Amino acid sequence: MTSKNILVSGASGLIGRSVCDALRRRGHTVRTLSRRHGDVIWHVERGYIDSSAFDGINCIIHLAGENIAQRWSAAARARIVQSRLATTRLLMSEITRHGRKIDFICASGINFYGYDRDDKLTEESPSGSGFLAELCCRWEGAITGSAAAELLADAKFIRTGVVLTPEGGALKKMLPIFKAGLGGPLGWGHQMMSWISLADIVRIYVRAVEDNTLTGAVNAVAPGNVSNAEFTRALGAVLHRPVCLPVPEFALKMVFGEMARETVLANLQVLPQKLRQLRFEWKHPDITTALKAMLQ
Ligand SMILES: NC(=O)c1ccc[n+]([C@@H]2O[C@H](COP(=O)([O-])OP(=O)(O)OC[C@H]3O[C@@H](n4cnc5c(N)ncnc54)[C@H](OP(=O)(O)O)[C@@H]3O)[C@@H](O)[C@H]2O)c1
């Protein structure tokens, strides 16, 4: 394997920190791109990026983006969208300026497929509706539709499911409630949840860097989709805690608005077709294995 020189945006985030560590352990050279504390600094609103950012770089991993888990006020929506589109456009214009072939690996979400689908979703499935679906389409489109797209040696979109780790994200927020014996399904609990462990999403990014047969859109989820009720039971069992009554859907919508409908209440059964074809081996293929490894 040839080691690569990789520029990582959003390297300070939940996924980014572990991806950078894993890439370094594999012998790649990693340069972090951040608004504040990176090896390289950018000010996206001003269209500024350190001119040395791309020196020697042959791969970009673009993870930066305003966190989705907040109430979607008009200002928050604008930040969520702009932090992904403006950053991508800035990276693409730098690629044009350098005029050198480069691999581009970009985060995306399974929300590309919408938030309420009964069909099983592969990478070939059409996009769905909703704020996040539109965002993911525009985000991926900011790369494929850019004039600089022809300079990309490869473009990969990691359509990520709910990342599970006690270190952050959804699971970290749920843990104190479940540990207190107060956890319960969200809404009716019938909604299908497509998730991935942090360890496996990191291994998928590493594979995307090292394997040029993994290309285009990639559904980054575990093969073992579960309903929210099944997830709740598995979490209760692993923590040896009872599971309570469901949290009513109206309450979630009242507190979190549309964000709840498109995230915790989303019903998406996403299949990792491409990863299966490439014989990717999940460390945590099913929810009980994943939760036990993380929490016991
Ligand atoms: N975690 C999940 O479950 C999940 C699921 C699907 C998709 N994804 C996507 O995968 C990517 C990485 O996820 P993550 O969980 O690691 O995210 P995260 O922990 O929220 O970190 C994202 C990083 O993006 C940068 N950032 C935050 N707000 C920004 C803004 N307004 N403008 C520019 N940069 C900003 C920050 O880096 P600096 O402060 O260093 O600039 C931050 O560390 C995200 O784009 C996310 O949408 C995540």
Side-chain angles (χ1 to χ4, degrees):
M1 182 207 46
T2 330
S3 70
K4 293 200 171 166
N5 292 323
I6 308 165
L7 181 68
V8 183
S9 80
S12 59
L14 182 68
I15 299 174
R17 290 191 300 271
S18 299
V19 166
C20 290
D21 288 348
L23 289 169
R24 288 187 179 113
R25 281 197 304 273
R26 302 271 306 167
H28 300 288
T29 303
V30 174
R31 202 180 296 164
T32 59
L33 173 60
S34 166
R35 293 167 298 170
R36 282 178 282 268
H37 307 296
D39 300 324
V40 181
I41 299 295
W42 59 354
H43 294 287
V44 182
E45 307 76 43
R46 288 187 238 151
Y48 168 82
I49 182 166
D50 192 315
S51 59
S52 67
F54 278 54
D55 290 354
I57 292 295
N58 51 15
C59 179
I60 295 172
I61 299 182
H62 182 29
L63 301 169
E66 173 87 10
N67 203 289
I68 303 286
Q70 55 181 302
R71 210 181 154 84
W72 294 347
S73 63
R77 281 170 194 260
R79 284 195 304 274
I80 289 168
V81 173
Q82 275 318 304
S83 60
R84 289 173 175 79
L85 299 191
T87 49
T88 304
R89 289 183 192 129
L90 187 51
L91 290 171
M92 294 306 278
S93 71
E94 276 304 290
I95 290 172
T96 309
R97 205 166 66 77
H98 281 255
R100 209 164 12 85
K101 287 275 179 197
I102 216 158
D103 284 336
F104 200 116
I105 302 168
C106 190
S108 183
I110 55 167
N111 318 82
F112 173 91
Y113 303 107
Y115 59 87
D116 190 11
R117 304 266 305 245
D118 287 326
D119 47 337
K120 295 193 171 168
L121 301 158
T122 72
E123 287 86 354
E124 279 131 42
S125 302
S127 61
S129 57
F131 171 67
L132 292 180
E134 196 184 319
L135 170 65
C136 290
C137 288
R138 291 178 70 193
W139 197 7
E140 294 184 13
I143 299 166
T144 51
S146 157
E150 61 189 33
L151 282 170
L152 300 182
D154 203 354
K156 313 185 191 206
F157 309 103
I158 310 299
R159 291 182 185 157
T160 310
V162 180
V163 174
L164 295 183
T165 168
E167 292 162 36
L171 185 59
K172 186 179 178 187
K173 291 196 184 102
M174 283 180 230
L175 276 178
I177 302 166
F178 275 79
K179 281 182 179 167
L182 298 171
L186 302 176
W188 292 106
H190 299 320
Q191 70 275 26
M192 291 302 289
M193 186 178 151
S194 297
W195 59 276
I196 181 92
S197 71
L198 179 64
D200 279 332
I201 187 70
V202 168
R203 294 170 66 245
I204 292 168
Y205 273 100
V206 171
R207 179 79 178 254
V209 167
E210 296 178 355
D211 182 353
N212 55 15
T213 65
L214 183 64
T215 182
V218 180
N219 286 346
V221 294
N225 290 329
V226 282
S227 69
N228 181 268
E230 286 165 334
F231 169 78
T232 305
R233 276 197 297 276
L235 184 53
V238 168
L239 293 172
H240 307 292
R241 291 290 189 284
V243 168
C244 291
L245 290 173
V247 185
E249 194 171 316
F250 77 85
L252 288 165
K253 286 184 179 160
M254 213 163 66
V255 179
F256 299 109
E258 209 180 334
M259 194 272 280
R261 188 181 66 171
E262 293 199 22
T263 58
V264 290
L265 295 171
N267 174 41
L268 291 172
Q269 211 174 151
V270 179
L271 306 183
Q273 180 174 268
K274 228 175 241 182
L275 290 171
R276 273 206 162 120
Q277 283 163 352
L278 291 174
R279 302 191 189 290
F280 178 82
E281 284 178 21
W282 282 264
K283 210 167 163 184
H284 307 126
D286 66 87
I287 197 69
T288 302
T289 313
L291 292 173
K292 277 187 176 163
M294 288 170 207
L295 301 171
Q296 286 186 345

